[in-house]
Amino acid sequence: MATQTLKKLTPEELKNIQGIIISGYGHLPNSEYQFLATSDTSLAKNWLAAIIPKITTAHRPDDENGKKKKPGCALNIAFTYAGIKKFGPAFVSGFSQEFAEGITEPHRTRRLGDDGNSAPELWDIKEEGVHILLIIQAPNIEERDTFSNELKSDYTRFGISLVKSEYGNQPPNNKEHFGFTDSISQPFIEHSPATPKGTQSCVRAGEFILGYHNEYELLPATPTIKATDDKNDYLPGLSTDNNLKDFGCNGSYLVFRKLYQDVAGFNSYLDANTKSAEHKALVAAKFVGRWPSGTPLVISPDIDIPDVNDKNNFFFMNNDAKGLSCPIASHIRRSNPRDSLAGNQEQSIKTVNRHRLLRRGIQYGQPFPGGSLDDGQDRGILFLCVNADIKRQFEFVQQTWINNPKFGDMYNDRDPIAGNNFDPRGDNSGKEYNMTIPSSVREVFTGIPRFVQVKGGGYFFLPAIPALKYLTV
Amino acid sequence: MKQCALTLILPIASEENASWLEKELNSIGQLLAKNPKIDFSKTSLTHFARFVILPTAKPYSSTKRLLFTSNFDGDFDLYAKELIDTNVAPALDAIFSRCDSYEAGTLLTNTKAVAFLNNRNINSQAFYVALPGATQAIISESADLRLKMDQTLNAGTISDDDKVAVALLHDEYEKLRTTHLSTARPKPVKATFGSFILGIISNVLEWIAGIRYGENNPQIRVETSNHLYDMEDLVTQNQMTVIVPVKKSILHRLFLRAILWGISIQVKTAKGSLSDLATIHFARWVIIDNGNNILFESNFDGSWENYIDDFVDHASVGMNVIWGNCIGYPKGGSKDIESFKSYIRQNQIPAQIFYSAYKDSTVRNILTDLSLSQKISSLSRPNGRPNLIMGYYGS
């Protein structure tokens, strides 16, 4: 293998990268996702030019004490394929096939498992008719709405219409609607200025940002334009060909999925299939792979120990190769297998690092009042993730790990929390899936119903600041 | 019984026949489960079979060609007989009759059918079988046994005495599942002088095959046609048929044959996995068209993406020393992933019909089933003492 210097993330580049790629803005728990459509290209370009100075970048100025100042509110912008085409640039090499086809292309829908009540025909939010996703993150609802109204006041003037808004609110304890602490494991971008919480795998920047080398030590595929088309010289040159400019550099792809959580269904299934409150709590934890406090079963298999300091400092194969603590079918073991993929531990970690997702999602809807009767309210997770290669990252995790009934040498187990399990309200295949909990006499939960329903989705591209400027021309 | 490969390439008699075949095979392929005109499920020898219409390949053929491959148990005599006995032969005959150099009715007479298969089969340079000796019948019986055992264990009506015994049995089951030879984790490989030499040899072999490393071109991204996606991810296994031209030089042609010969030796000893890949059921390399083209076909578990990623992770040198001898293979080899995947997708031909005898079983599932049924057999006859298994299954 020829040695080459790998392109590193540097402080100078942070000004060009949209902030949501580097930080989830945990200090801004109230967000709005505006799905916009543009009607007139030149008006839209004027609007974009006015918005660019308001976009939050990954650069943080120092405050009076020399510490990095967190933004008071954050604004980021992403485009659908139709959206980018509206602005009219002529690309030499284009975007990825999955981005261009969109998330609801029929073969993709099959691979992602969006069937039954998760079928795109039933979605609230689709890519059709949407050009832009504007993401507002604020410290509280008042500031979010003020900022939002300020932005909205310009839309009519610029021929922009608001197709839909989704609102997210992250509770202070970070527990999602099933009652479990979320977002504990988050890959750390190599050379990122952010500080990781607890132990996290360090992953090359090219897994999440175009223009940097990825975990294969390759530069990710990127959209390019002719250098002669970039008259204002906004964009960087393509490293392998100076006749071209790299439009995608410092940008990334963003996956959005609105996931409804059937908390009543979750509670009633567990009530019906467990013997006691303790058993129910244990089984719920086995489904997830962590206790409600976030402590992983690998560290504490029998009871929740909330004050474990670093809840992400564990591997599977040293103590739990057979899944007796954390079942192989459980949610966290499937969404991040760490060292447990077949083969050897070192290779597994290398392989898993090529399929990490940078999660930027948030909860939506009011907390479930409790019990097992559905209150008819919409609640769940607005799932967002940043990745440089949608097919190798998001789609791969969904198809090969989460929804794969053959994951980990199993026969018929899909992810009990997030998998496209049996949908009693309309799954045509009628096939039932299990959840196997290994132990001295193993427990198999059969006919797992679907607890998460997909109600919206889209693939977006997050351009870098120079690329946004290029779009305004 | 031995597992065998059948590879037939027949030129289609005319353009009209080619369009007829394409329509006919596509319609059968899509309905194979519900209304199979070619009902391989009535047979017990066939593991996997496929029909692939190959594009025109001048000068070897002025029309399109029909590729038929099968992975089956026994030999051509048994195979031909079974096709006739199960009444699958007429449907095959109707299809082959649309091709040149096939006399209508050949497959319906035993002697003619055997002669045809022997004469027209194209030998593989390398043929990989994941589980040698595991016939289709054994695979299906073991799966049934495992299902029965699952149902019994799930039934929940276990007395306290039996609970102890079941716990013991379950321990055995779990031990088998996690400590079978191919699941044993290899110790991390320490860099030794031996592995250093092996590294140099790999580099030399790759260099001979034409691999030259360099910066990758980030403009290349993989495009997959819908024709390929149409036939993927419908059942547990996926199929891949790739035909690529071999480089013209004598060096590459000889080197390719030498490498494939080496692989054919090596696969005889690898049980359950090909170079650490435990997701392939059957695979074969066949040099065709007077050495000018090479056909690769494989039957594997999981998605195409996962399959190719596994090759890149575990067998990248192997890929390079084989495919480097072929025209159009990326200079950077399999490590230039987008180019590598692009190359395969561009040369992959969709199958109109893909049959699998065990649509719900991965290689790993089958391994577990086989180990389990072996163990149960041995447990159920321990020196003639009355035992748990007999009590449980009543036999």
Side-chain angles (χ1 to χ4, degrees), chain A residues 95 97 107 110-111 216 218-219 221-222 224 244 317 351 354 399 406 409-411 439-440 442, chain B residues 146 150 170 185 216 218-219 221 223-224 226 229-230 232-233 305 313 335 337 360 364-365 369:
Chain A
F95 295 86
Q97 181 181 4
H107 294 111
R110 178 174 78 230
R111 287 197 298 281
Y216 287 107
L218 301 173
L219 291 170
T222 185
T224 53
L244 299 174
M317 299 313 283
T351 299
R354 292 164 177 161
Q399 179 184 18
K406 305 295 184 183
D409 294 354
M410 292 184 295
Y411 289 92
S439 77
S440 58
R442 94 242 193 284
Chain B
R146 181 251 312 155
D150 255 351
H170 185 263
R185 307 291 183 244
N216 74 304
Q219 294 189 83
R221 68 197 190 290
E223 292 278 339
T224 305
N226 270 335
Y229 277 142
D230 278 342
E232 281 180 12
D233 304 326
E305 289 299 324
D313 282 346
K335 293 248 184 252
I337 303 214
D360 208 26
R364 302 287 303 166
N365 287 161
D369 290 348

Side-chain angles (χ1 to χ4, degrees), chain A residues 122-411:
Chain A
L122 305 171
W123 286 4
D124 295 339
I125 302 165
K126 298 187 219 201
E127 284 152 336
E128 284 118 276
V130 171
H131 298 135
I132 292 174
L133 168 61
L134 212 54
I135 303 175
I136 299 165
Q137 290 174 255
N140 51 59
I141 296 185
E142 298 78 59
E143 289 188 55
R144 178 195 74 196
D145 290 345
T146 311
F147 194 11
S148 171
N149 291 331
E150 187 190 307
L151 291 165
K152 285 185 198 157
S153 64
D154 275 338
Y155 290 164
T156 328
R157 183 149 68 90
F158 287 104
I160 302 209
S161 50
L162 177 62
V163 176
K164 198 152 200 308
S165 263
E166 290 288 338
Y167 296 94
N169 50 280
Q170 192 72 359
N173 62 7
N174 260 334
K175 288 204 171 149
E176 50 77 57
H177 288 293
F178 292 138
F180 289 82
T181 309
D182 200 2
S183 271
I184 295 174
S185 173
Q186 193 77 275
F188 176 68
I189 300 178
E190 196 184 37
H191 305 124
S192 157
T195 330
K197 277 197 286 258
T199 307
Q200 303 291 355
S201 3
C202 180
V203 176
R204 289 208 205 283
E207 291 294 307
F208 306 109
I209 316 177
L210 302 186
Y212 300 88
H213 287 88
N214 62 22
E215 283 287 320
Y216 287 107
E217 296 186 6
L218 301 173
L219 291 170
T222 185
T224 53
I225 58 159
K226 277 197 276 207
T228 46
D229 282 347
D230 184 14
K231 298 191 172 41
N232 299 7
D233 200 25
Y234 285 131
L235 302 172
L238 185 67
S239 53
T240 51
D241 184 344
N242 16 20
N243 293 323
L244 299 174
K245 291 296 192 89
D246 189 352
F247 178 86
C249 186
N250 284 323
S252 191
Y253 290 96
L254 176 75
V255 178
F256 172 87
R257 308 258 286 174
K258 178 176 177 185
L259 303 176
Y260 165 75
Q261 287 179 265
D262 182 4
V263 187
F266 184 69
N267 287 340
S268 66
Y269 179 81
L270 288 175
D271 284 336
N273 290 284
T274 57
K275 304 182 283 242
S276 66
E278 289 82 39
H279 189 214
K280 177 181 176 186
L282 176 66
V283 170
K286 292 275 187 184
F287 276 22
V288 174
R290 292 183 189 267
W291 295 99
S293 73
T295 297
L297 288 173
V298 170
I299 291 182
S300 174
D302 303 310
I303 48 161
D304 195 353
I305 309 180
D307 51 15
V308 165
N309 217 351
D310 185 352
K311 297 191 160 75
N312 209 37
N313 186 6
F314 67 95
F315 287 99
F316 291 114
M317 299 313 283
N318 299 324
N319 300 330
D320 195 22
K322 296 186 195 172
L324 294 170
S325 301
C326 182
I328 295 175
S330 69
H331 176 64
I332 68 160
R333 194 157 177 155
R334 312 174 75 116
S335 47
N336 180 5
R338 299 171 195 243
D339 62 335
S340 70
L341 289 179
N344 67 62
Q345 289 168 261
E346 274 180 68
Q347 179 60 54
S348 174
I349 293 173
K350 272 198 209 140
T351 299
V352 169
N353 275 348
R354 292 164 177 161
H355 304 291
R356 295 304 304 271
L357 312 177
L358 205 53
R359 292 178 293 154
R360 293 288 181 244
I362 197 168
Q363 279 186 51
Y364 76 93
Q366 293 311 303
F368 186 70
S372 51
L373 283 176
D374 192 7
D375 65 350
Q377 296 299 308
D378 194 8
R379 61 175 61 82
I381 289 186
L382 299 176
F383 174 86
L384 281 87
C385 75
V386 171
N387 47 190
D389 186 330
I390 298 178
K391 185 153 34 99
R392 173 161 61 80
Q393 293 168 267
F394 166 69
E395 291 186 357
F396 182 94
V397 173
Q398 187 81 0
Q399 179 184 18
T400 302
W401 291 346
I402 299 279
N403 282 341
N404 181 8
K406 305 295 184 183
F407 176 80
D409 294 354
M410 292 184 295
Y411 289 92

